[in-house]
């Protein structure tokens, strides 16, 4: 009985209207209970303040950042298969990837323009020392990398590699603030996968070439793609098409079924996912109001 009386008292007190006009301030007593809510409380409610209206073809074009990374992962996996079945020697892979990296380095300097020319001598000296250090430590530690996973079964190695490459694609920095990403986590997952695969190759040269190629594909290549896109956005679509065709051709040389699956995944990500995004966007419903956390604005 006492509880019912207390509940009725507070409910009457909370619904009591103030005699003076209520203000949303905390520093003065307005003779209202703490749980008082003004009749104008919901007038400040707003819906879908941050909703964006997407256009289909721009979204299709921007989906290339995802398919480029998937293509890079597939190329890396196919290169491992090539070395495993002796279609590709580690020396040939090292030379070929080094030539492509050198071309990319020159193009990177051309994109930087005047700033690169002013700092070219010091920058090239630092980059050269970094390359020498990486090659020295990489080749010297390759025998250790080759023996790290000797006690682990090959099936487990392949399973861990698959998980790590999926993590690379999932956590890769695609240049958006819509999701929490970690470039370091993505890169480390790819390097871990390369070390796992290198341990199943026949020689130290194979392991060194595999890890070096992984650094070029998962560290240097994404940075170069972002710089080219920022410098000339028209190059983004041709780069996406070329990367996809190279990856599809490499996969087709190993497995026709996997090549078909690869093409289907690319079509789904490039054309179907943007369509689903635009179709579901009108159903988005977010509310904003005085209950949101206060934000300081300049």
């Amino acid at each position: 009985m006492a509880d019912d009386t207390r509940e009725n008292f507070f409910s009457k007190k909370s619904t009591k209207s103030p005699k003076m006009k209520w203000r949303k301030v905390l520093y003065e007593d307005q003779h209202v209970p703490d749980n008082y809510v003004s009749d104008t409380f919901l007038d400040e409610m707003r819906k879908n303040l941050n909703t964006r209206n997407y256009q289909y073809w721009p979204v299709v074009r921007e989906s290339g950042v995802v398919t480029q990374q998937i293509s890079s992962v597939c190329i890396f996996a196919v290169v491992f298969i090539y070395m495993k079945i002796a279609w590709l020697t580690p020396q040939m892979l090292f030379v070929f990837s080094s030539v492509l990296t050198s071309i990319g380095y020159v193009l990177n300097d051309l994109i930087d323009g005047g700033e690169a020319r002013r700092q070219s001598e010091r920058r090239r000296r630092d980059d050269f020392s970094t390359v020498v250090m990486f090659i020295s430590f990489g080749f010297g530690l390759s025998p250790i990398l080759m023996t790290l996973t000797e006690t682990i079964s090959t099936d487990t190695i392949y399973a861990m590699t698959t998980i790590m490459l999926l993590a690379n694609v999932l956590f890769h920095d695609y240049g958006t603030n819509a999701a929490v990403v970690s470039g370091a986590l993505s890169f480390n997952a790819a390097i871990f996968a390369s070390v796992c695969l290198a341990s199943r190759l026949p020689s130290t040269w194979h392991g060194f070439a595999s890890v070096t190629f992984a650094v070029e594909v998962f560290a240097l290549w994404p940075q170069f793609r972002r710089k080219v896109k920022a410098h000339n956005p028209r190059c983004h679509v041709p780069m996406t098409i070329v990367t996809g065709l190279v990856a599809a051709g490499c996969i087709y040389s190993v497995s026709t079924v996997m090549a078909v699956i690869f093409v289907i995944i690319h079509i789904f990500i490039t054309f179907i996912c943007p369509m689903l995004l635009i179709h579901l966007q009108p159903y988005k419903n977010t509310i904003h109001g005085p209950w949101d956390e206060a934000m300081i604005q300049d």
Side-chain angles (χ1 to χ4, degrees):
M1 185 69 181
D3 294 339
D4 294 340
T5 304
R6 181 185 300 177
E7 181 178 357
N8 292 333
F9 171 76
F10 279 108
S11 62
K12 292 179 181 179
K13 188 177 181 181
S14 61
T15 56
K16 180 181 178 180
S17 300
K19 296 181 180 179
M20 63 182 66
K21 185 177 181 180
W22 179 81
R23 297 187 303 156
K24 189 170 60 176
V25 295
L26 297 176
Y27 51 82
E28 66 179 22
D29 183 12
Q30 302 187 65
H31 305 290
V32 294
D34 293 338
N35 62 347
Y36 173 77
V37 177
S38 172
D39 295 336
T40 62
F41 182 74
L42 294 179
D43 292 345
E44 300 181 32
M45 184 180 71
R46 300 292 183 269
K47 292 185 178 181
N48 301 334
L49 287 179
N50 301 320
T51 301
R52 296 177 55 186
N53 295 322
Y54 295 99
Q55 301 294 327
Y56 179 72
W57 288 111
V59 177
V60 169
R61 183 172 60 253
E62 291 300 321
S63 67
V65 295
V66 180
T67 55
Q68 286 177 6
Q69 186 64 19
I70 295 176
S71 299
S72 300
V73 170
C74 293
I75 291 174
F76 174 76
V78 172
V79 166
F80 164 76
I81 297 174
Y82 282 175
M83 289 195 294
K84 185 72 174 177
I85 61 180
W87 284 8
L88 180 66
T89 63
Q91 293 83 359
M92 184 182 300
L93 174 63
F94 180 75
V95 171
F96 182 72
S97 61
S98 299
V99 170
L100 291 181
T101 303
S102 301
I103 295 174
Y105 184 81
V106 173
L107 293 176
N108 182 74
D109 281 349
L110 293 176
I111 292 174
D112 288 341
E115 181 180 357
R117 284 192 293 270
R118 288 192 297 268
Q119 303 177 356
S120 59
E121 184 177 353
R122 180 179 177 182
R123 177 181 175 182
R124 290 192 180 95
R125 186 167 55 248
D126 293 341
D127 293 341
F128 180 75
S129 61
T130 302
V131 171
V132 172
M133 185 180 301
F134 172 78
I135 293 177
S136 302
F137 278 95
F139 193 77
L141 296 176
S142 292
I144 301 176
L145 298 178
M146 297 291 294
T147 59
L148 282 177
T149 59
E150 281 186 345
T151 59
I152 304 176
S153 66
T154 301
D155 292 340
T156 303
I157 289 294
Y158 289 159
M160 288 193 303
T161 300
T162 303
I163 294 173
M164 291 299 103
L165 292 179
L166 289 176
N168 172 265
V169 175
L170 181 63
F171 293 102
H172 181 70
D173 185 6
Y174 296 105
T176 175
N177 297 323
V180 178
V181 296
S182 174
L185 176 59
S186 175
F187 176 69
N188 290 333
I191 295 301
F192 180 78
S194 68
V195 172
C196 290
L197 293 180
S199 65
R200 291 303 181 264
L201 294 173
S203 69
T204 301
W205 252 108
H206 285 80
F208 170 69
S210 177
V211 174
T212 302
F213 184 66
V215 173
E216 294 168 343
V217 171
F218 298 113
L220 303 180
W221 174 234
Q223 293 182 7
F224 180 74
R225 294 200 315 257
R226 284 193 289 267
K227 179 165 288 189
V228 170
K229 181 183 176 184
H231 178 72
N232 189 354
R234 291 179 296 180
C235 296
H236 177 64
V237 174
M239 187 180 300
T240 302
I241 296 174
V242 171
T243 306
L245 290 177
V246 171
C250 293
I251 298 174
Y252 180 77
S253 65
V254 176
S255 172
T256 305
V257 176
M258 295 304 298
V260 172
I261 295 176
F262 173 81
V263 172
I264 292 175
I265 291 175
H266 268 53
I267 292 176
F268 179 77
I269 294 175
T270 304
F271 299 104
I272 306 300
C273 287
M275 187 182 302
L276 292 175
L277 174 65
I278 295 175
H279 176 72
L280 296 176
Q281 192 69 10
Y283 296 99
K284 184 177 181 180
N285 187 17
T286 60
I287 59 175
H288 306 268
W291 53 83
D292 290 342
E293 183 178 353
M295 298 180 62
I296 299 177
Q297 298 181 355
D298 295 336

